[in-house]
Amino acid sequence: MLQRSVASRGAAREAQTIFKPPWRARARHPAHRLVKIHQLVAYLGPSVVLALAFIVFPLVFVIVMSLTAWAGIGPAKYVGIQNYVYLFHDQAFRSAIYNTLVWAAAGIFVQTPMSLLAALILARRPFMWKFFRTALFVPSVVSTTILALMWYFMLDPNVGLVNGTLKAVGLNSWTHAWLSDPSTAQFSIMVPFVIYIGFGMILFLTQISTIPREIFEAARIDGANVFQQDRYITIPAIRRAIALWVLFLVGYVMKMFEYPFVMTDGGPASTTMNLPLYVYKQMVTADAYGLAMAAGVVTVVLGALLVLVALLGLRWLESR
Amino acid sequence: MTGRLIARPAKWAFLGVLTVLTVIPLLWLLVSAFKTTPELFRSPFGLPAHWSFANFIGALRAQPLVAYFRNSVTVAVVSTVATIAVSTTAAYALRHRFKLRGAINGFLMSGLFVPFTAFMTPIFFLIYHLGLYNTVWGIALVYTGTMLPVGFLIIKGYMETIPEELLEAARIDGASFHRVFLRIVFPLTVPGLATASIFLMISAWNELLFANLLSTSPSAETLQVGIRSFLTSYAANYPEAFAGTVMAMAPTILAYAILSNRVVESMAATGLK
C-alpha cells in the first residue's frame, strides 16, 4: 500500500514534469481546493439525481397519495386520513405490523446471539473450524427466494424432510401441515431466517480477528478463563460491529418479503402477513393504491422508530 | 472445572446441530432432485435408484431458465457497474471542501435507513413512465438507485484511507481535478471497489420484490422471479421443481467456492465503516 502510494506519486509528478501546461500555473495557489461548480455537477450530479428519484420523489409521492383513494389510473380523490383509519381497523394490517415486530425480535434476540456465540467459538479455532465456518456461511450466498423455496419443500406435509424425519423417529403425532396451520405458519417461515447465521457470524469473526492477540495472552496469564475473556475483552471490543449488525437487521426485516411471499403468501388468514407483503398486495392484487401508500408511510415511520429504539437500546447497553 | 465439563459438550452440540440444520436441507434437495416422483413419496431419505439427469433436462425444457439466468446476469452486472461509477465519483467529490458538502453527504447516506419496499408504488410509476417497464434496464436502474447508499458507504470508507498528502502532492504538481481522480484516487480505490462490487452483485442477484413488480415476461424476468413458477405450475412434479431449484442455486455456490475469501471479505466490509 505504502509502496504503491509512493510509486503513483512519483508517476504523477513525472507525468506533470513532462507535460505542464502554462494555464495550470495558477493551480499552485491554495485556492485550488475550492472545487469548481461544473466539476461538482459532473461528479455529484448522477448520485444526487438518483437519490432525488429514489428517496425524495417516492417519499413525497407516498405521503401525498396516501391521502387519496386511487386505483392506479384515472383521477385520485382526496379522502383525508380515511386510509389510515381503515388500516388500523384492518385485521391483516395489524397482523402485518405485529409480524414485522416478531421478525425484528427473532433477528435481534435469537439470531444475533447465535451468530455471536458461533463466532466466539470459531474464533478460538477449534477442531475443524474451517469446515464449520464454510458450512455455516454457505446459505448466505444463496438467494433468500431459493432458500424460501427449499424450506417450502422441506416443510411439505407429504414429501418434506421435516415430517419425514418425525415419522422415521416415531413421532407421527408431531407431523404437521406446518405452513397451512395458522398456529405454526409464522414460526415455520422464520426458521430459515433464524438458523442461517453465516452473515452475522462472518462479520463478528472478522472483527474479532482484529483484536491484538497479546491482550488475550495477558488475560490468560492473569488467570482469566475463556468465558471471562469473551465477556470482558472480545464482546466489548466488537461492540460497534454488533451495534451495526442490529441496525442492519432492522433494515433487513423492514424489507423482508421473500419468506412470506414464497412460502405462505401471507396466509393462512393473514397470520404470516408483514408490511412489505401488505403494501404489495394492496397495490398489485387489490389495486388499492391509496391504501398501499398509507401502509408505505406507516412502514417508513415504523422503520425509523425501530432504528431509533435500536440506537437508544445500544446506547443504554454501552452506558452500563 | 465443572464449567468446562458442561461447556465442552454444549459447544459441540451447538455447532453440530446448527451445521446439520444448515447443510442437510441443501444435501436433501440435491439428492431428491435425482429421484423419481414415486421414490420421493416413498421416503424422504434414501438414494435414488438411478442417478439420471432427466429431472434437470425436464426443468430446463419446461422453464426458460437460461433466459432467466441471462437476465439476472445482465441486471446484476449493469446495476453494479452503474452503482460503482456513481458512488466513486460522488465519494471523490465529497473529499473536497465546499459549501453543501455535509448536507449532500448526509442526503446520500440517508438512504441507508429507508425501507425501499415502502416505495414500490412510486418506483413502479417512475419506471413505467420512463418506458422501462418489463425491461432488464428498468430493474437495473431501480437497483442502482436503491443500492447507491450502501455502495457509497463502502467506497467512501475505503477512499478515506487514501492519505490527503498524496492528493495534495499531485495538485501541487498541477494535476487537475479529473486527473487526480483518474490517475490517483481511482486506482488506489480499486481493491475497495472489488469488495463493494461483490457485495452489490450478490444483492442484485438475490433481489425479488422489485424484479417481480417490474417484469411480466421471460424477456425481463430474473432467476428469482422465474423459479417461483416451479411453485405455481409444478405442484405435481416435485423432482423437476427440485432440479430447477438446484440449478438456480448452483451459480452463486460455485462462485463462492472459487472466490470464497473475497466474498467473505466483502460481506464483512459492509460493517467495517
Side-chain angles (χ1 to χ4, degrees), chain A residues 13 16 32 35 43 132 139 141 143 152-153 156 199 207 244 280, chain B residues 19 22 96 171 173 177-179 206 212 224 238 252 267 271-272:
Chain A
R13 186 169 287 160
Q16 286 309 312
H32 70 84
V35 210
Y43 277 67
F132 285 116
V141 299
S143 76
Y152 175 86
F153 295 137
D156 186 285
F199 199 113
Q207 290 296 309
L244 280 167
Y280 180 85
Chain B
T19 308
T22 306
H96 298 77
R171 289 194 201 106
D173 289 339
F177 185 83
H178 304 294
R179 206 178 168 83
N206 287 345
N212 189 47
Q224 313 310 332
Y238 281 104
T252 40
M267 293 281 191
L272 280 179

PDB file of all heavy atoms in Angstrom, chain A residues 13 16 32 35 43 132 139 141 143 152-153 156 199 207 244 280, chain B residues 19 22 96 171 173 177-179 206 212 224 238 252 267 271-272:
ATOM      1  N   ARG A  13       4.021  12.908 -10.600  1.00  0.00           N
ATOM      2  CA  ARG A  13       4.968  14.015 -10.697  1.00  0.00           C
ATOM      3  C   ARG A  13       5.697  13.973 -12.039  1.00  0.00           C
ATOM      4  O   ARG A  13       5.827  14.977 -12.720  1.00  0.00           O
ATOM      5  CB  ARG A  13       5.971  13.913  -9.537  1.00  0.00           C
ATOM      6  CG  ARG A  13       6.897  15.085  -9.455  1.00  0.00           C
ATOM      7  CD  ARG A  13       7.657  15.064  -8.153  1.00  0.00           C
ATOM      8  NE  ARG A  13       6.819  15.425  -7.029  1.00  0.00           N
ATOM      9  CZ  ARG A  13       7.130  15.116  -5.755  1.00  0.00           C
ATOM     10  NH1 ARG A  13       8.208  14.420  -5.485  1.00  0.00           N
ATOM     11  NH2 ARG A  13       6.346  15.502  -4.775  1.00  0.00           N
ATOM     12  N   GLN A  16       3.652  15.143 -14.840  1.00  0.00           N
ATOM     13  CA  GLN A  16       3.466  16.575 -14.834  1.00  0.00           C
ATOM     14  C   GLN A  16       4.710  17.328 -15.298  1.00  0.00           C
ATOM     15  O   GLN A  16       4.586  18.400 -15.885  1.00  0.00           O
ATOM     16  CB  GLN A  16       3.080  17.051 -13.429  1.00  0.00           C
ATOM     17  CG  GLN A  16       1.650  16.696 -13.070  1.00  0.00           C
ATOM     18  CD  GLN A  16       0.682  17.134 -14.128  1.00  0.00           C
ATOM     19  OE1 GLN A  16       0.723  18.274 -14.603  1.00  0.00           O
ATOM     20  NE2 GLN A  16      -0.183  16.237 -14.560  1.00  0.00           N
ATOM     21  N   HIS A  32      -6.968  26.528  -4.994  1.00  0.00           N
ATOM     22  CA  HIS A  32      -7.352  25.435  -5.894  1.00  0.00           C
ATOM     23  C   HIS A  32      -8.246  24.422  -5.196  1.00  0.00           C
ATOM     24  O   HIS A  32      -8.911  23.636  -5.820  1.00  0.00           O
ATOM     25  CB  HIS A  32      -6.102  24.722  -6.417  1.00  0.00           C
ATOM     26  CG  HIS A  32      -5.405  23.944  -5.357  1.00  0.00           C
ATOM     27  ND1 HIS A  32      -5.789  22.672  -5.023  1.00  0.00           N
ATOM     28  CD2 HIS A  32      -4.379  24.263  -4.531  1.00  0.00           C
ATOM     29  CE1 HIS A  32      -5.022  22.241  -4.040  1.00  0.00           C
ATOM     30  NE2 HIS A  32      -4.158  23.187  -3.723  1.00  0.00           N
ATOM     31  N   VAL A  35     -13.437  23.634  -5.205  1.00  0.00           N
ATOM     32  CA  VAL A  35     -13.739  22.958  -6.458  1.00  0.00           C
ATOM     33  C   VAL A  35     -14.622  23.851  -7.310  1.00  0.00           C
ATOM     34  O   VAL A  35     -15.390  24.647  -6.784  1.00  0.00           O
ATOM     35  CB  VAL A  35     -14.504  21.646  -6.195  1.00  0.00           C
ATOM     36  CG1 VAL A  35     -14.182  20.645  -7.261  1.00  0.00           C
ATOM     37  CG2 VAL A  35     -14.210  21.120  -4.821  1.00  0.00           C
ATOM     38  N   TYR A  43     -19.514  15.343 -11.058  1.00  0.00           N
ATOM     39  CA  TYR A  43     -19.189  14.208 -10.181  1.00  0.00           C
ATOM     40  C   TYR A  43     -20.315  13.850  -9.222  1.00  0.00           C
ATOM     41  O   TYR A  43     -20.471  12.698  -8.856  1.00  0.00           O
ATOM     42  CB  TYR A  43     -17.898  14.497  -9.396  1.00  0.00           C
ATOM     43  CG  TYR A  43     -16.662  14.189 -10.199  1.00  0.00           C
ATOM     44  CD1 TYR A  43     -16.329  14.939 -11.324  1.00  0.00           C
ATOM     45  CD2 TYR A  43     -15.836  13.130  -9.848  1.00  0.00           C
ATOM     46  CE1 TYR A  43     -15.212  14.646 -12.074  1.00  0.00           C
ATOM     47  CE2 TYR A  43     -14.704  12.832 -10.588  1.00  0.00           C
ATOM     48  CZ  TYR A  43     -14.396  13.597 -11.703  1.00  0.00           C
ATOM     49  OH  TYR A  43     -13.297  13.290 -12.438  1.00  0.00           O
ATOM     50  N   PHE A 132     -16.617 -25.776   9.741  1.00  0.00           N
ATOM     51  CA  PHE A 132     -17.828 -25.185  10.328  1.00  0.00           C
ATOM     52  C   PHE A 132     -18.077 -23.791   9.762  1.00  0.00           C
ATOM     53  O   PHE A 132     -19.207 -23.427   9.452  1.00  0.00           O
ATOM     54  CB  PHE A 132     -17.709 -25.124  11.853  1.00  0.00           C
ATOM     55  CG  PHE A 132     -17.884 -26.452  12.522  1.00  0.00           C
ATOM     56  CD1 PHE A 132     -16.852 -27.028  13.233  1.00  0.00           C
ATOM     57  CD2 PHE A 132     -19.089 -27.130  12.431  1.00  0.00           C
ATOM     58  CE1 PHE A 132     -17.014 -28.266  13.844  1.00  0.00           C
ATOM     59  CE2 PHE A 132     -19.266 -28.365  13.034  1.00  0.00           C
ATOM     60  CZ  PHE A 132     -18.224 -28.933  13.741  1.00  0.00           C
ATOM     61  N   PRO A 139     -25.225 -20.818   3.094  1.00  0.00           N
ATOM     62  CA  PRO A 139     -26.548 -20.291   2.744  1.00  0.00           C
ATOM     63  C   PRO A 139     -26.564 -18.778   2.483  1.00  0.00           C
ATOM     64  O   PRO A 139     -27.434 -18.283   1.786  1.00  0.00           O
ATOM     65  CB  PRO A 139     -27.409 -20.624   3.967  1.00  0.00           C
ATOM     66  CG  PRO A 139     -26.705 -21.720   4.635  1.00  0.00           C
ATOM     67  CD  PRO A 139     -25.251 -21.517   4.385  1.00  0.00           C
ATOM     68  N   VAL A 141     -24.775 -17.135   0.576  1.00  0.00           N
ATOM     69  CA  VAL A 141     -24.562 -16.780  -0.830  1.00  0.00           C
ATOM     70  C   VAL A 141     -25.703 -17.304  -1.709  1.00  0.00           C
ATOM     71  O   VAL A 141     -25.707 -17.079  -2.908  1.00  0.00           O
ATOM     72  CB  VAL A 141     -23.203 -17.286  -1.387  1.00  0.00           C
ATOM     73  CG1 VAL A 141     -22.055 -16.674  -0.606  1.00  0.00           C
ATOM     74  CG2 VAL A 141     -23.120 -18.793  -1.389  1.00  0.00           C
ATOM     75  N   SER A 143     -29.710 -17.143  -2.708  1.00  0.00           N
ATOM     76  CA  SER A 143     -30.721 -16.096  -2.569  1.00  0.00           C
ATOM     77  C   SER A 143     -31.822 -16.523  -1.603  1.00  0.00           C
ATOM     78  O   SER A 143     -32.141 -17.706  -1.464  1.00  0.00           O
ATOM     79  CB  SER A 143     -31.331 -15.778  -3.923  1.00  0.00           C
ATOM     80  OG  SER A 143     -32.239 -16.784  -4.292  1.00  0.00           O
ATOM     81  N   TYR A 152     -39.899 -24.401   1.759  1.00  0.00           N
ATOM     82  CA  TYR A 152     -41.276 -24.739   1.409  1.00  0.00           C
ATOM     83  C   TYR A 152     -41.362 -26.239   1.125  1.00  0.00           C
ATOM     84  O   TYR A 152     -42.272 -26.921   1.586  1.00  0.00           O
ATOM     85  CB  TYR A 152     -41.693 -23.918   0.187  1.00  0.00           C
ATOM     86  CG  TYR A 152     -43.055 -24.263  -0.361  1.00  0.00           C
ATOM     87  CD1 TYR A 152     -44.196 -23.682   0.159  1.00  0.00           C
ATOM     88  CD2 TYR A 152     -43.188 -25.178  -1.411  1.00  0.00           C
ATOM     89  CE1 TYR A 152     -45.446 -23.999  -0.337  1.00  0.00           C
ATOM     90  CE2 TYR A 152     -44.431 -25.497  -1.914  1.00  0.00           C
ATOM     91  CZ  TYR A 152     -45.556 -24.905  -1.377  1.00  0.00           C
ATOM     92  OH  TYR A 152     -46.795 -25.222  -1.877  1.00  0.00           O
ATOM     93  N   PHE A 153     -40.375 -26.758   0.384  1.00  0.00           N
ATOM     94  CA  PHE A 153     -40.335 -28.198   0.102  1.00  0.00           C
ATOM     95  C   PHE A 153     -40.027 -28.990   1.373  1.00  0.00           C
ATOM     96  O   PHE A 153     -40.600 -30.046   1.614  1.00  0.00           O
ATOM     97  CB  PHE A 153     -39.284 -28.509  -0.971  1.00  0.00           C
ATOM     98  CG  PHE A 153     -39.594 -27.916  -2.318  1.00  0.00           C
ATOM     99  CD1 PHE A 153     -38.598 -27.308  -3.077  1.00  0.00           C
ATOM    100  CD2 PHE A 153     -40.884 -27.962  -2.843  1.00  0.00           C
ATOM    101  CE1 PHE A 153     -38.883 -26.760  -4.320  1.00  0.00           C
ATOM    102  CE2 PHE A 153     -41.166 -27.426  -4.085  1.00  0.00           C
ATOM    103  CZ  PHE A 153     -40.165 -26.828  -4.823  1.00  0.00           C
ATOM    104  N   ASP A 156     -43.095 -29.427   3.355  1.00  0.00           N
ATOM    105  CA  ASP A 156     -44.231 -30.023   2.664  1.00  0.00           C
ATOM    106  C   ASP A 156     -44.759 -31.208   3.487  1.00  0.00           C
ATOM    107  O   ASP A 156     -43.977 -32.056   3.923  1.00  0.00           O
ATOM    108  CB  ASP A 156     -43.784 -30.501   1.277  1.00  0.00           C
ATOM    109  CG  ASP A 156     -44.948 -31.004   0.436  1.00  0.00           C
ATOM    110  OD1 ASP A 156     -45.437 -32.126   0.702  1.00  0.00           O
ATOM    111  OD2 ASP A 156     -45.371 -30.273  -0.464  1.00  0.00           O
ATOM    112  N   PHE A 199     -23.928 -14.848   7.854  1.00  0.00           N
ATOM    113  CA  PHE A 199     -23.563 -13.457   7.567  1.00  0.00           C
ATOM    114  C   PHE A 199     -23.075 -12.726   8.822  1.00  0.00           C
ATOM    115  O   PHE A 199     -21.991 -12.171   8.863  1.00  0.00           O
ATOM    116  CB  PHE A 199     -24.792 -12.759   6.982  1.00  0.00           C
ATOM    117  CG  PHE A 199     -24.499 -11.501   6.231  1.00  0.00           C
ATOM    118  CD1 PHE A 199     -24.709 -11.431   4.865  1.00  0.00           C
ATOM    119  CD2 PHE A 199     -24.038 -10.374   6.888  1.00  0.00           C
ATOM    120  CE1 PHE A 199     -24.455 -10.262   4.171  1.00  0.00           C
ATOM    121  CE2 PHE A 199     -23.775  -9.207   6.198  1.00  0.00           C
ATOM    122  CZ  PHE A 199     -23.987  -9.152   4.839  1.00  0.00           C
ATOM    123  N   GLN A 207     -14.200  -9.065  12.814  1.00  0.00           N
ATOM    124  CA  GLN A 207     -13.903  -8.055  13.828  1.00  0.00           C
ATOM    125  C   GLN A 207     -13.031  -8.638  14.946  1.00  0.00           C
ATOM    126  O   GLN A 207     -12.115  -7.985  15.421  1.00  0.00           O
ATOM    127  CB  GLN A 207     -15.209  -7.508  14.410  1.00  0.00           C
ATOM    128  CG  GLN A 207     -15.982  -6.652  13.437  1.00  0.00           C
ATOM    129  CD  GLN A 207     -15.233  -5.401  13.059  1.00  0.00           C
ATOM    130  OE1 GLN A 207     -14.763  -4.667  13.913  1.00  0.00           O
ATOM    131  NE2 GLN A 207     -15.088  -5.166  11.763  1.00  0.00           N
ATOM    132  N   LEU A 244     -23.852  -2.245  14.682  1.00  0.00           N
ATOM    133  CA  LEU A 244     -24.129  -2.072  13.254  1.00  0.00           C
ATOM    134  C   LEU A 244     -24.937  -3.242  12.709  1.00  0.00           C
ATOM    135  O   LEU A 244     -25.824  -3.065  11.870  1.00  0.00           O
ATOM    136  CB  LEU A 244     -22.816  -1.962  12.484  1.00  0.00           C
ATOM    137  CG  LEU A 244     -22.181  -0.585  12.540  1.00  0.00           C
ATOM    138  CD1 LEU A 244     -20.749  -0.635  12.040  1.00  0.00           C
ATOM    139  CD2 LEU A 244     -22.995   0.392  11.707  1.00  0.00           C
ATOM    140  N   TYR A 280     -47.525  -4.668  -1.066  1.00  0.00           N
ATOM    141  CA  TYR A 280     -47.529  -5.342  -2.374  1.00  0.00           C
ATOM    142  C   TYR A 280     -48.936  -5.807  -2.737  1.00  0.00           C
ATOM    143  O   TYR A 280     -49.414  -5.606  -3.847  1.00  0.00           O
ATOM    144  CB  TYR A 280     -46.564  -6.528  -2.325  1.00  0.00           C
ATOM    145  CG  TYR A 280     -46.470  -7.309  -3.608  1.00  0.00           C
ATOM    146  CD1 TYR A 280     -45.614  -6.900  -4.623  1.00  0.00           C
ATOM    147  CD2 TYR A 280     -47.239  -8.447  -3.809  1.00  0.00           C
ATOM    148  CE1 TYR A 280     -45.520  -7.613  -5.799  1.00  0.00           C
ATOM    149  CE2 TYR A 280     -47.154  -9.168  -4.981  1.00  0.00           C
ATOM    150  CZ  TYR A 280     -46.297  -8.741  -5.980  1.00  0.00           C
ATOM    151  OH  TYR A 280     -46.209  -9.451  -7.150  1.00  0.00           O
TER     152      TYR A 280
ATOM    153  N   THR B  19     -24.950 -26.826  12.239  1.00  0.00           N
ATOM    154  CA  THR B  19     -24.381 -27.237  10.956  1.00  0.00           C
ATOM    155  C   THR B  19     -25.293 -28.245  10.254  1.00  0.00           C
ATOM    156  O   THR B  19     -25.511 -28.156   9.049  1.00  0.00           O
ATOM    157  CB  THR B  19     -22.972 -27.837  11.161  1.00  0.00           C
ATOM    158  OG1 THR B  19     -22.205 -26.908  11.921  1.00  0.00           O
ATOM    159  CG2 THR B  19     -22.290 -28.097   9.839  1.00  0.00           C
ATOM    160  N   THR B  22     -28.147 -26.521   8.774  1.00  0.00           N
ATOM    161  CA  THR B  22     -27.761 -25.697   7.635  1.00  0.00           C
ATOM    162  C   THR B  22     -27.471 -26.544   6.403  1.00  0.00           C
ATOM    163  O   THR B  22     -27.898 -26.202   5.296  1.00  0.00           O
ATOM    164  CB  THR B  22     -26.514 -24.861   7.988  1.00  0.00           C
ATOM    165  OG1 THR B  22     -26.794 -24.138   9.175  1.00  0.00           O
ATOM    166  CG2 THR B  22     -26.159 -23.903   6.880  1.00  0.00           C
ATOM    167  N   HIS B  96     -13.538  16.968  -1.250  1.00  0.00           N
ATOM    168  CA  HIS B  96     -13.171  18.378  -1.354  1.00  0.00           C
ATOM    169  C   HIS B  96     -14.041  19.215  -0.443  1.00  0.00           C
ATOM    170  O   HIS B  96     -15.113  18.791  -0.036  1.00  0.00           O
ATOM    171  CB  HIS B  96     -13.311  18.836  -2.805  1.00  0.00           C
ATOM    172  CG  HIS B  96     -12.396  18.104  -3.722  1.00  0.00           C
ATOM    173  ND1 HIS B  96     -12.663  16.817  -4.131  1.00  0.00           N
ATOM    174  CD2 HIS B  96     -11.222  18.459  -4.273  1.00  0.00           C
ATOM    175  CE1 HIS B  96     -11.675  16.412  -4.908  1.00  0.00           C
ATOM    176  NE2 HIS B  96     -10.780  17.377  -5.010  1.00  0.00           N
ATOM    177  N   ARG B 171      -1.754  17.747  -6.760  1.00  0.00           N
ATOM    178  CA  ARG B 171      -2.310  19.064  -7.097  1.00  0.00           C
ATOM    179  C   ARG B 171      -1.194  20.097  -7.211  1.00  0.00           C
ATOM    180  O   ARG B 171      -1.209  20.941  -8.101  1.00  0.00           O
ATOM    181  CB  ARG B 171      -3.300  19.502  -6.019  1.00  0.00           C
ATOM    182  CG  ARG B 171      -4.575  18.711  -6.038  1.00  0.00           C
ATOM    183  CD  ARG B 171      -5.624  19.410  -5.195  1.00  0.00           C
ATOM    184  NE  ARG B 171      -6.654  18.459  -4.806  1.00  0.00           N
ATOM    185  CZ  ARG B 171      -6.773  17.955  -3.586  1.00  0.00           C
ATOM    186  NH1 ARG B 171      -5.937  18.325  -2.623  1.00  0.00           N
ATOM    187  NH2 ARG B 171      -7.719  17.088  -3.317  1.00  0.00           N
ATOM    188  N   ASP B 173       1.699  19.551  -8.077  1.00  0.00           N
ATOM    189  CA  ASP B 173       2.364  19.299  -9.360  1.00  0.00           C
ATOM    190  C   ASP B 173       1.502  19.708 -10.537  1.00  0.00           C
ATOM    191  O   ASP B 173       1.874  19.488 -11.683  1.00  0.00           O
ATOM    192  CB  ASP B 173       2.721  17.817  -9.483  1.00  0.00           C
ATOM    193  CG  ASP B 173       3.847  17.441  -8.542  1.00  0.00           C
ATOM    194  OD1 ASP B 173       4.576  18.365  -8.132  1.00  0.00           O
ATOM    195  OD2 ASP B 173       3.984  16.258  -8.225  1.00  0.00           O
ATOM    196  N   PHE B 177      -8.480  18.420 -11.297  1.00  0.00           N
ATOM    197  CA  PHE B 177      -9.499  17.693 -10.551  1.00  0.00           C
ATOM    198  C   PHE B 177      -9.733  16.303 -11.149  1.00  0.00           C
ATOM    199  O   PHE B 177      -9.670  15.291 -10.451  1.00  0.00           O
ATOM    200  CB  PHE B 177     -10.777  18.536 -10.608  1.00  0.00           C
ATOM    201  CG  PHE B 177     -11.931  18.008  -9.800  1.00  0.00           C
ATOM    202  CD1 PHE B 177     -12.014  18.270  -8.446  1.00  0.00           C
ATOM    203  CD2 PHE B 177     -12.942  17.286 -10.411  1.00  0.00           C
ATOM    204  CE1 PHE B 177     -13.099  17.816  -7.700  1.00  0.00           C
ATOM    205  CE2 PHE B 177     -14.027  16.828  -9.667  1.00  0.00           C
ATOM    206  CZ  PHE B 177     -14.101  17.088  -8.315  1.00  0.00           C
ATOM    207  N   HIS B 178      -9.977  16.241 -12.457  1.00  0.00           N
ATOM    208  CA  HIS B 178     -10.248  14.957 -13.114  1.00  0.00           C
ATOM    209  C   HIS B 178      -9.025  14.054 -13.086  1.00  0.00           C
ATOM    210  O   HIS B 178      -9.121  12.864 -12.895  1.00  0.00           O
ATOM    211  CB  HIS B 178     -10.650  15.187 -14.581  1.00  0.00           C
ATOM    212  CG  HIS B 178     -11.807  16.099 -14.725  1.00  0.00           C
ATOM    213  ND1 HIS B 178     -13.067  15.778 -14.273  1.00  0.00           N
ATOM    214  CD2 HIS B 178     -11.906  17.342 -15.252  1.00  0.00           C
ATOM    215  CE1 HIS B 178     -13.881  16.779 -14.524  1.00  0.00           C
ATOM    216  NE2 HIS B 178     -13.208  17.738 -15.114  1.00  0.00           N
ATOM    217  N   ARG B 179      -7.857  14.687 -13.305  1.00  0.00           N
ATOM    218  CA  ARG B 179      -6.635  13.904 -13.390  1.00  0.00           C
ATOM    219  C   ARG B 179      -6.282  13.247 -12.057  1.00  0.00           C
ATOM    220  O   ARG B 179      -5.884  12.087 -12.024  1.00  0.00           O
ATOM    221  CB  ARG B 179      -5.495  14.832 -13.831  1.00  0.00           C
ATOM    222  CG  ARG B 179      -4.402  14.091 -14.528  1.00  0.00           C
ATOM    223  CD  ARG B 179      -3.325  15.045 -14.987  1.00  0.00           C
ATOM    224  NE  ARG B 179      -2.191  14.248 -15.395  1.00  0.00           N
ATOM    225  CZ  ARG B 179      -2.076  13.688 -16.602  1.00  0.00           C
ATOM    226  NH1 ARG B 179      -3.023  13.874 -17.490  1.00  0.00           N
ATOM    227  NH2 ARG B 179      -1.020  12.980 -16.900  1.00  0.00           N
ATOM    228  N   ASN B 206     -29.870 -11.438  -5.828  1.00  0.00           N
ATOM    229  CA  ASN B 206     -30.839 -12.048  -4.923  1.00  0.00           C
ATOM    230  C   ASN B 206     -32.173 -11.331  -4.835  1.00  0.00           C
ATOM    231  O   ASN B 206     -33.099 -11.855  -4.244  1.00  0.00           O
ATOM    232  CB  ASN B 206     -30.252 -12.105  -3.511  1.00  0.00           C
ATOM    233  CG  ASN B 206     -29.187 -13.160  -3.401  1.00  0.00           C
ATOM    234  OD1 ASN B 206     -29.070 -14.019  -4.270  1.00  0.00           O
ATOM    235  ND2 ASN B 206     -28.406 -13.098  -2.356  1.00  0.00           N
ATOM    236  N   ASN B 212     -39.860  -8.705  -9.448  1.00  0.00           N
ATOM    237  CA  ASN B 212     -41.178  -9.281  -9.647  1.00  0.00           C
ATOM    238  C   ASN B 212     -42.186  -8.215 -10.055  1.00  0.00           C
ATOM    239  O   ASN B 212     -43.027  -8.419 -10.925  1.00  0.00           O
ATOM    240  CB  ASN B 212     -41.611  -9.955  -8.341  1.00  0.00           C
ATOM    241  CG  ASN B 212     -42.858 -10.775  -8.506  1.00  0.00           C
ATOM    242  OD1 ASN B 212     -42.970 -11.545  -9.446  1.00  0.00           O
ATOM    243  ND2 ASN B 212     -43.795 -10.595  -7.613  1.00  0.00           N
ATOM    244  N   GLN B 224     -34.747 -15.140  -9.841  1.00  0.00           N
ATOM    245  CA  GLN B 224     -35.532 -15.185  -8.597  1.00  0.00           C
ATOM    246  C   GLN B 224     -37.023 -15.147  -8.897  1.00  0.00           C
ATOM    247  O   GLN B 224     -37.816 -15.779  -8.203  1.00  0.00           O
ATOM    248  CB  GLN B 224     -35.160 -14.019  -7.677  1.00  0.00           C
ATOM    249  CG  GLN B 224     -33.687 -13.773  -7.491  1.00  0.00           C
ATOM    250  CD  GLN B 224     -32.914 -15.032  -7.135  1.00  0.00           C
ATOM    251  OE1 GLN B 224     -33.448 -15.957  -6.533  1.00  0.00           O
ATOM    252  NE2 GLN B 224     -31.665 -15.089  -7.542  1.00  0.00           N
ATOM    253  N   TYR B 238     -42.712 -32.630  -8.265  1.00  0.00           N
ATOM    254  CA  TYR B 238     -41.734 -32.160  -7.285  1.00  0.00           C
ATOM    255  C   TYR B 238     -40.292 -32.335  -7.750  1.00  0.00           C
ATOM    256  O   TYR B 238     -39.508 -31.384  -7.677  1.00  0.00           O
ATOM    257  CB  TYR B 238     -41.934 -32.873  -5.951  1.00  0.00           C
ATOM    258  CG  TYR B 238     -43.066 -32.327  -5.133  1.00  0.00           C
ATOM    259  CD1 TYR B 238     -44.275 -32.993  -5.042  1.00  0.00           C
ATOM    260  CD2 TYR B 238     -42.921 -31.130  -4.440  1.00  0.00           C
ATOM    261  CE1 TYR B 238     -45.316 -32.493  -4.284  1.00  0.00           C
ATOM    262  CE2 TYR B 238     -43.955 -30.626  -3.673  1.00  0.00           C
ATOM    263  CZ  TYR B 238     -45.152 -31.304  -3.595  1.00  0.00           C
ATOM    264  OH  TYR B 238     -46.163 -30.807  -2.849  1.00  0.00           O
ATOM    265  N   THR B 252     -24.251 -19.265  -7.658  1.00  0.00           N
ATOM    266  CA  THR B 252     -23.663 -18.490  -6.559  1.00  0.00           C
ATOM    267  C   THR B 252     -22.807 -19.366  -5.658  1.00  0.00           C
ATOM    268  O   THR B 252     -21.781 -18.914  -5.154  1.00  0.00           O
ATOM    269  CB  THR B 252     -24.732 -17.766  -5.710  1.00  0.00           C
ATOM    270  OG1 THR B 252     -25.845 -18.623  -5.542  1.00  0.00           O
ATOM    271  CG2 THR B 252     -25.159 -16.477  -6.368  1.00  0.00           C
ATOM    272  N   MET B 267     -18.497  -9.232   2.403  1.00  0.00           N
ATOM    273  CA  MET B 267     -19.619  -9.281   3.335  1.00  0.00           C
ATOM    274  C   MET B 267     -19.248  -8.537   4.614  1.00  0.00           C
ATOM    275  O   MET B 267     -20.015  -7.764   5.155  1.00  0.00           O
ATOM    276  CB  MET B 267     -19.952 -10.731   3.698  1.00  0.00           C
ATOM    277  CG  MET B 267     -20.504 -11.534   2.553  1.00  0.00           C
ATOM    278  SD  MET B 267     -22.231 -11.144   2.315  1.00  0.00           S
ATOM    279  CE  MET B 267     -22.725 -12.412   1.195  1.00  0.00           C
ATOM    280  N   GLY B 271     -19.825  -3.864   7.272  1.00  0.00           N
ATOM    281  CA  GLY B 271     -19.966  -3.460   8.654  1.00  0.00           C
ATOM    282  C   GLY B 271     -18.751  -2.755   9.206  1.00  0.00           C
ATOM    283  O   GLY B 271     -18.730  -2.335  10.342  1.00  0.00           O
ATOM    284  N   LEU B 272     -17.733  -2.640   8.367  1.00  0.00           N
ATOM    285  CA  LEU B 272     -16.471  -2.122   8.887  1.00  0.00           C
ATOM    286  C   LEU B 272     -16.505  -0.638   9.145  1.00  0.00           C
ATOM    287  O   LEU B 272     -15.937  -0.156  10.101  1.00  0.00           O
ATOM    288  CB  LEU B 272     -15.337  -2.424   7.896  1.00  0.00           C
ATOM    289  CG  LEU B 272     -14.805  -3.854   7.971  1.00  0.00           C
ATOM    290  CD1 LEU B 272     -13.718  -4.058   6.951  1.00  0.00           C
ATOM    291  CD2 LEU B 272     -14.282  -4.158   9.366  1.00  0.00           C
TER     292      LEU B 272
END
